[in-house]
Amino acid sequence: MAARWVKAIRRIGFVPMGPDGLYALLRDLAAEFVRALHADPFDPEPAARVGAALAEAGLTDTGVLTASLGVLRNPPRAASVEKRAQRIADLHARLAGGYAAALRQRTLVEQEGLARAITAAHAQVEHQLWTSESRFRALFEGAAMAICIGDLDGRIIQANAAMARLLGYPLEELYRLEGPDFLHPDDLQSDRDLYAELVRGDRDHLRMEKAYFRKDGTVVWTDLTITLLRDSDGTPTNTVAMVEDITDRHQLEERLRHQALHDPLTGLPNRTYFAERLAEAFANPDPTAQVGLCYLDLDGFKRINDSLGHDVGDKLLVAVARRLQRTASTRGYQVARMGGDEFVILAEKANLDELTALADQVLYSLDLPVRSGPHGMRVSASIGIVVQPVSATGPAEILKAADLTLYRAKAAGRGRWACYDADLNAAQVARYALVEALPDAVQRGEFSLLYQPLVSLSSGRACGVEALLRWDHPDRGTLSPDSFIDLAEETGIISAIGTWVLREACRQGARWWRRFPERSFYVSVNVATAQTYDPALVGDVLSILDESGLPPTLLQLELTESAMLSSAGEPVEALRALAAAGIRIAIDDFGTGYSNLAYLRTLPVAGLKLARQFTDGLGRPVDTHIVKTLIELAHVLDLAVTAEGVETPDQLSQLKGMNCDVVQGWHLSMPLPADEMSAVLENGG
């Protein structure tokens, strides 16, 4: 490989060493490269030393790096080396980096030497004119670095061939030009200011990256260093500029920046780019300016990925991105992909009517089917629309508002848009705050139980209690289950809460049983649908009964009618096992679900709790007849009937006349803490 390397480099042109010396150098470097390739663990750093050694050896011709990478593309194979192609790529990158760094250092050293030589030549012009002139000519004209000398007005009075090649002008034509003739327009004023500081003597040198126009109109990016020359009195006389072509590096940086700020799949700006644009929009000093967002999420995209595969899903995302771009770009709006199947459209200076019209057009464009091979897909989207003045909010706040509005649109039925509503969004924020607080609420001891008596109409005394959960929230006060149980089911924390409720209720029920053993006083606990699917339910219930000492016959578990109907297989078997252990199973809110009476004969149900709506309807002939019929049917099936929501003496009287078994409600007693409930029982209630 070293021999091939020598041939490749010698074909380029002048080599600053003999064949033997070159071969010895490249042999050692090739060996080091191969050792790095095969090393375990892999470390590409030695390749940087190989690149640096090439530059330090004076192999600086423009073709040396290309020739070297070509030879090192196919080093000796080794069966034990895994990921060989990736290692070679990493080694090539480090080699090129080391070569560039060493070459740059060499160039900087050369620049410094040139600057010193030029300064010395001018300082000694009177007594060493012919020597200094010859040295200057050799260094100036033969330098690979572009160099020019200018007067204090910015005119070029002398330039070398490298400068002419860099800008694409013949030397004679270059001398007729001034700096502004090839400066980039964006830099004119700032360059004038900096150059004025230099020629006034306020500074001795400038260094910056600048873009210049070549004669053919193309742009060359350079690393420019300008040094001020002074006479023996310290008065500024001339400037010396050294210019390095860094166009390739600049283009590489631009490509890397584009990749960092754009989504690789769709080509749209990504979240990072969007955040920058949004921040710029809110930096508008005009207090009347406003910013609008359309935050979009595809409906059912996960189903497409799961059923048709991620390749099809990716093609769908690309098609959606193109349609969004076509729809929004005609209005001058910015589209970005936020991640997954979420997109956002940024509209500056837009009003709400314009954004709702845009949202309608977006939904229409997405309604057209997307083809992917044999698959034809239709996709809908939900869109949250927010328009806010820049003076009233900020980037993070408007993005959060758009996100919340989006999910309100999705909850309303999908395939639609919703506009920001401050009150509704505040409610959603409060709801999400509850979601965040729920998981730790049990550990913090924020839950408590109240007990509402279940009164037997035959004896007029409490035969049991229903345990009712309350959340003693530190900021929002006492919350009823209606405000958080659905959140607990969504987040999966319902099982932990349900277990806590069951344990606390059984402990208290056991205390009452030991205190009033003759009462057969039972405790009724609500069970969420999700809990019936927990394979540990039966074991947990029996374990809690065992540790509390409450007899199974004094525990009643309440499930909603819809939960009982949706249960099948293992959940039903779990209920049967609990019933077999002596635990009572009751259907809560009976009549609000399917009202399918056939299943009552097959499920392990001991009682029904009529929904509050039926109790409220007593007095109306139809509702009264329905309640009476349901009670009679339940008794035929040997099921006890409990009526909820009894709030008036008339309701109580009617239910008693219909032979209802048990009642509960505020007319009889509000929910009570355990100690107050104990006092009621102590007084014979």
Side-chain angles (χ1 to χ4, degrees), residues 33-306:
F33 184 89
V34 172
R35 281 195 301 272
L37 173 63
H38 297 165
D40 188 11
F42 175 67
D43 180 10
E45 193 56 36
R49 295 195 293 270
V50 172
L54 289 174
E56 291 166 0
L59 300 175
T60 59
D61 191 282
T62 55
V64 168
L65 181 58
T66 302
S68 298
L69 295 178
V71 171
L72 297 176
R73 185 178 295 113
N74 296 300
R77 293 181 177 272
S80 61
V81 178
E82 299 178 353
K83 301 181 180 178
R84 182 174 182 272
Q86 183 60 49
R87 286 192 173 193
I88 290 174
D90 291 345
L91 289 171
H92 279 191
R94 290 299 180 92
L95 187 148
Y99 184 85
L103 187 60
R104 182 177 181 83
Q105 183 61 36
R106 181 186 179 95
T107 301
L108 291 175
V109 171
E110 182 181 353
Q111 287 181 17
E112 184 177 355
L114 287 171
R116 289 175 179 173
I118 293 170
T119 304
H122 278 272
Q124 300 174 8
V125 67
E126 292 183 354
H127 64 278
Q128 292 182 336
L129 181 58
W130 67 270
T131 302
S132 61
E133 183 68 19
S134 62
R135 290 176 180 174
F136 172 76
R137 290 290 178 189
L139 291 171
F140 185 80
E141 295 177 0
M145 176 75 67
I147 307 171
C148 70
I149 300 173
D151 61 20
L152 299 184
D153 294 327
R155 289 188 295 270
I156 297 174
I157 59 177
Q158 195 169 4
N160 65 357
M163 188 71 177
R165 289 194 300 271
L166 180 71
L167 297 177
Y169 288 95
L171 281 173
E172 306 78 35
E173 189 174 349
L174 194 60
Y175 293 150
R176 295 195 295 268
L177 300 177
E178 297 183 6
D181 293 326
F182 40 81
L183 284 178
H184 197 282
D186 295 342
D187 298 335
L188 282 175
Q189 187 56 50
S190 61
D191 284 0
R192 286 194 181 101
D193 295 341
L194 289 172
Y195 195 76
E197 293 180 14
L198 185 72
V199 298
R200 283 198 308 265
D202 295 343
R203 59 171 70 205
D204 289 326
H205 67 274
L206 293 172
R207 184 170 183 179
M208 65 190 84
E209 290 187 2
K210 289 189 55 57
Y212 287 106
F213 282 116
R214 292 170 55 87
K215 184 177 181 180
D216 60 7
T218 59
V219 175
V220 58
W221 279 89
T222 67
D223 185 342
L224 171 68
T225 301
I226 304 178
T227 301
L228 180 67
L229 300 180
R230 300 174 184 265
D231 61 16
S232 57
D233 297 329
T235 303
T237 57
N238 295 93
T239 58
V240 177
M242 297 185 180
V243 189
E244 179 186 1
D245 185 350
I246 59 168
T247 303
D248 290 343
R249 190 188 80 192
H250 181 79
Q251 291 174 345
L252 175 60
E253 290 172 351
E254 287 297 308
R255 286 197 298 271
L256 292 176
R257 175 173 171 78
H258 183 274
Q259 292 172 7
L261 297 178
H262 288 76
D263 172 44
L265 176 64
T266 64
L268 290 177
N270 61 15
R271 180 185 289 272
T272 302
Y273 183 96
F274 172 77
E276 292 181 1
R277 282 292 306 274
L278 189 61
E280 291 173 3
F282 274 93
N284 192 329
D286 181 3
T288 64
Q290 57 185 19
V291 174
L293 294 182
C294 284
Y295 205 116
L296 178 148
D297 178 86
L298 300 183
D299 299 327
F301 181 72
K302 184 178 184 298
R303 173 177 48 80
I304 294 174
N305 266 346
D306 292 344

